[in-house]
Amino acid sequence: MGLTNRLEFAIMVVEVEAMKKAFGYLRVSGKGQLEGDGFERQRIKIQEFADANGIEIVQWFEEKGVSGTVESRAALDEMMVAVLSNGVRTVLIEKLDRLARDLMIQESILKNARKEGIEIISAMEPDLCQDDPTRKLMRQILGAFSEYEKTMIVLKLRAARQRKRIKTGRCEGIKRYGQLEGEQTTLARLIDLRASGLNWEGIANKLNSEGLQTRTGGKWYPATVRRIVLKEQTVTA
């Protein structure tokens, strides 16, 4: 290898090592969106931004069919644990409403991330994640519009369910875990593990090691286990 080639190789190594590492966070809020292009679209936008800015996506986290509430975010929980444990301090999202459409939740996530030294970057609104007064105002205005849009979607869905109820006499919502065919065995196992004294993380790890899947065919996370157990306790109380 000649001197020129060695220099070029050394420069390439330095550039690769200097690349900022980041996680990619994707979220769709409805079960029906899992079959759509939501994840694909978000992944493409985030990857394009990363490529253009010298950022390496080292891991992707997908929130499947989860609303904007913080309590039910299994992938967000998993990502935060990873962020706080392995040195990656940057998270890329497609748009701020992928964090949450609710303005207060959106701002809360950004505030907590800054407190932990985590940088959240929106691929389509990269400047808005900074916290100077002007950008914060613009972010909150967009967040308010996003929250309004979410409210209107909820109202339209509620009206559609009401029309169906009037027309057919019934309109069922999403069934709780354990009500669909094949879920009773897994639910019973989950309840037994909880009764044995395992915590949420221990139960999730045990279910995954036994090859038991969630309703959507994915992995179990502590937040998912907690939600199902508490719901079951409420129903059976």
Side-chain angles (χ1 to χ4, degrees):
M1 182 183 291
L3 177 60
T4 301
N5 289 336
R6 288 201 298 271
L7 288 173
E8 289 177 349
F9 178 76
I11 290 172
M12 288 174 61
V13 170
V14 170
E15 287 178 346
V16 170
E17 291 179 346
M19 286 183 70
K20 178 185 287 188
K21 297 184 184 299
F23 290 142
Y25 179 73
L26 319 171
R27 180 177 71 88
V28 296
S29 56
K31 300 291 184 184
Q33 295 176 297
L34 294 176
E35 302 301 323
D37 67 345
F39 281 141
E40 179 74 11
R41 185 201 70 239
Q42 293 176 51
R43 193 183 298 270
I44 289 173
K45 290 293 184 183
I46 291 172
Q47 191 63 63
E48 287 176 348
F49 179 88
D51 293 342
N53 291 274
I55 299 174
E56 179 188 2
I57 307 294
V58 295
Q59 190 172 351
W60 295 91
F61 294 85
E62 297 183 355
E63 208 77 77
K64 299 180 179 180
V66 177
S67 69
T69 60
V70 177
E71 293 81 3
S72 58
R73 304 279 199 95
L76 181 63
D77 290 347
E78 184 188 15
M79 182 179 71
M80 292 305 293
V81 171
V83 165
L84 296 173
S85 63
N86 68 5
V88 174
R89 283 293 182 271
T90 303
V91 175
L92 297 185
I93 56 176
E94 181 205 22
K95 295 175 64 179
L96 284 167
D97 66 9
R98 295 305 82 205
L99 285 181
R101 287 183 180 271
D102 185 287
L103 177 58
M104 296 300 293
I105 295 176
Q106 186 185 111
E107 286 296 313
S108 176
I109 293 174
L110 289 172
K111 181 179 179 180
N112 289 332
R114 281 193 294 271
K115 188 184 300 182
E116 297 292 344
I118 302 166
E119 181 183 19
I120 296 181
I121 303 175
S122 166
M124 298 184 68
E125 311 137 332
D127 292 335
L128 291 184
C129 293
Q130 300 177 33
D131 211 35
D132 64 83
T134 301
R135 286 181 175 82
K136 186 174 182 180
L137 174 62
M138 291 301 298
R139 186 173 70 236
Q140 291 179 344
I141 289 173
L142 290 176
F145 277 116
S146 184
E147 186 174 350
Y148 171 77
E149 182 182 13
K150 171 193 169 185
T151 302
M152 292 306 298
I153 291 172
V154 170
L155 290 175
K156 288 177 181 178
L157 290 173
R158 187 181 301 165
R161 288 194 295 269
Q162 181 64 17
R163 287 196 299 272
K164 184 175 180 180
R165 187 176 292 111
I166 293 173
K167 184 176 181 180
T168 65
R170 59 193 296 270
C171 181
E172 298 183 357
I174 298 175
K175 294 181 180 295
R176 73 177 188 279
Y177 190 84
Q179 290 187 303
L180 298 185
E181 184 179 354
E183 292 180 346
Q184 279 295 331
T185 301
T186 303
L187 177 62
R189 179 62 174 148
L190 193 155
I191 298 300
D192 286 344
L193 290 172
R194 181 58 178 171
S196 72
L198 282 180
N199 60 19
W200 307 125
E201 185 176 5
I203 296 172
N205 291 337
K206 189 67 174 175
L207 294 175
N208 289 327
S209 70
E210 293 176 357
L212 299 173
Q213 296 183 329
T214 63
R215 176 173 290 177
T216 58
K219 290 174 56 179
W220 289 94
Y221 295 102
T224 309
V225 172
R226 177 180 179 275
R227 185 172 67 254
I228 291 174
V229 171
L230 295 182
K231 182 67 174 179
E232 187 67 16
Q233 289 175 346
T234 300
V235 172
T236 56

